Amino acid sequence: NAGVTQTPKFQVLKTGQSMTLQCAQDMNHEYMSWYRQDPGMGLRLIHYSVGAGITDQGEVPNGYNVSRSTTEDFPLRLLSAAPSQTSVYFCASSYSPGSSGNTIYFGEGSWLTVV
Amino acid sequence: DAKTTQPPSMDCAEGRAANLPCNHSTISGNEYVYWYRQIHSQGPQYIIHGLKNNETNEMASLIITEDRKSSTLILPHATLRDTAVYYCIVRVYGGNAGGTSYGKLTFGQGTILTVHP
């Protein structure tokens, strides 16, 4: 049982480049989400998905796209990287928050630097 | 989302119990209290969660006051490896998908717990 797996762990991009952060979970969780963590800002929700084919915006979605073609995978795309997107990104998954309290599992993080 | 307030830092001697307080005075009836910790910028690690009853697992105990406005995380026998940032978080359950906050965990600044020999 791998839990939540994120790749790559480290990435350096030039301004304007695009890339995709991968996230996969093997727990058959409906709910998956992406957070970014910046010094002094805590973790902020970027996008989330409640199931295959369904995504929605979080509190800081600008500059990011997501899709959910399968239950297992929830990639985060940066279309045109900007220095403001330098951050640590965490993927998380859980069963639906629509029912009772569920354990939310996080990946190990992806460190992204945009120069 | 309810806001949580935690002390910025705490110290604890190895082998002693660490009691980490959290204030969530605006918590509503459909919000759970979660505790996570983060070590060296690794991914947040789940510790425990509860709604209104006290909870215990192999890692810790969670004591929630009767009015649910505050809680305490107890690490019964702290070790050096428990040194980390501890986050008290509330999360809404129920409701419908859509909107910017569905299922969101609202992280505050956390408490830096230092366990010393």
Side-chain angles (χ1 to χ4, degrees):
Chain A
N1 186 344
V4 180
T5 303
Q6 291 182 232
T7 56
K9 192 168 182 68
F10 300 98
Q11 183 72 49
V12 178
L13 283 179
K14 294 182 179 179
T15 297
Q17 285 185 318
S18 63
M19 78 157 299
T20 300
L21 300 178
Q22 302 290 344
C23 176
Q25 52 90 11
D26 60 359
M27 297 171 281
N28 204 31
H29 285 163
E30 304 99 332
Y31 184 89
M32 296 185 73
S33 55
W34 278 101
Y35 290 82
R36 60 177 288 174
Q37 185 174 31
D38 303 293
M41 299 290 291
L43 277 80
R44 294 180 292 170
L45 181 65
I46 304 172
H47 284 285
Y48 67 89
S49 168
V50 299
I54 306 170
T55 64
D56 220 322
Q57 295 182 349
E59 56 186 327
V60 288
N62 292 339
Y64 307 95
N65 276 0
V66 292
S67 60
R68 185 94 179 269
S69 57
T70 67
T71 299
E72 294 78 20
D73 300 299
F74 190 45
L76 178 73
R77 297 185 186 85
L78 284 71
L79 301 178
S80 179
S84 61
Q85 293 178 303
T86 294
S87 188
V88 183
Y89 292 85
F90 291 102
C91 180
S93 77
S94 72
Y95 291 114
S96 171
S99 55
S100 61
N102 298 304
T103 301
I104 304 98
Y105 297 90
F106 283 82
E108 286 302 305
S110 295
W111 274 252
L112 176 66
T113 301
V114 183
V115 297
Chain B
D1 295 343
K3 183 178 178 180
T4 61
T5 305
Q6 299 176 250
S9 64
M10 294 184 65
D11 289 329
C12 178
E14 189 176 21
R16 303 295 294 269
N19 296 277
L20 289 82
C22 180
N23 182 292
H24 32 80
S25 58
T26 60
I27 195 169
S28 54
N30 64 342
E31 289 183 310
Y32 274 78
V33 178
Y34 285 80
W35 283 84
Y36 279 77
R37 71 182 182 184
Q38 196 170 23
I39 301 172
H40 298 309
S41 293
Q42 296 176 12
Q45 179 189 19
Y46 168 80
I47 301 173
I48 200 167
H49 74 279
L51 184 61
K52 54 184 177 181
N53 297 320
N54 297 339
E55 302 288 344
T56 296
N57 63 20
E58 65 278 5
M59 288 184 68
S61 294
L62 173 61
I63 308 299
I64 303 174
T65 57
E66 192 169 345
D67 62 7
R68 300 186 70 237
K69 293 184 177 182
S70 65
S71 61
T72 301
L73 177 74
I74 301 172
L75 306 178
H77 305 288
T79 71
L80 299 179
R81 288 182 295 178
D82 291 322
T83 293
V85 181
Y86 286 77
Y87 294 100
C88 170
I89 303 156
V90 295
R91 189 197 199 198
V92 175
Y93 76 91
N96 300 312
T100 61
S101 302
Y102 184 69
K104 183 180 80 170
L105 292 170
T106 302
F107 285 79
Q109 296 304 308
T111 296
I112 300 172
L113 175 68
T114 302
V115 181
H116 51 84

